Amino acid sequence: ALWDELEADRTEGTAPEPAAPPAALEERHAACLHALEAHDPDCDYNFWIGVGMDLRRELGAELGFIVWRDWSARGQKYAGAADLQSHW
């Protein structure tokens, strides 16, 4: 459900929402972590980069990158945080 919403938002090209209050951000963080559990970080490039974009939009640049890095690190294709930073 949330993952589908994230995908729909990304493909529609909607503008990013203003920063969320801390409680809302914590809820979105937990929801994103839960959604990522169902997805292999060794997915195809377009899906992987879309996950990064969605996380940045949902969680902001700092927390979004941390979540994307940690999720990506679970995969065999992970080439380190510097590689991710070049796509961020």
Side-chain angles (χ1 to χ4, degrees), residues 19-81:
L25 182 58
E26 288 177 21
E27 290 174 14
R28 286 162 49 169
H29 181 213
C32 288
L33 292 175
H34 180 72
L36 287 173
E37 290 174 9
H39 296 282
D40 182 1
D42 286 326
C43 56
D44 68 70
Y45 176 81
N46 289 331
F47 188 83
W48 174 79
I49 202 75
V51 168
M53 287 184 219
D54 290 341
L55 290 170
R56 186 175 187 138
R57 182 175 44 252
E58 287 297 312
L59 303 175
E62 185 176 344
L63 181 56
F65 182 81
I66 291 167
V67 172
W68 193 44
R69 180 200 64 204
D70 292 350
W71 174 73
S72 295
R74 296 185 348 222
Q76 297 296 316
K77 297 178 184 177
Y78 183 67

Side-chain angles (χ1 to χ4, degrees), residues 5 7 12-13 17-18 28 41 50 69 71 77 80 82 84-86:
E5 291 174 24
E7 275 294 300
E12 290 174 15
E17 295 181 16
R28 286 162 49 169
R69 180 200 64 204
W71 174 73
K77 297 178 184 177
L84 265 67
Q85 191 65 45
S86 71

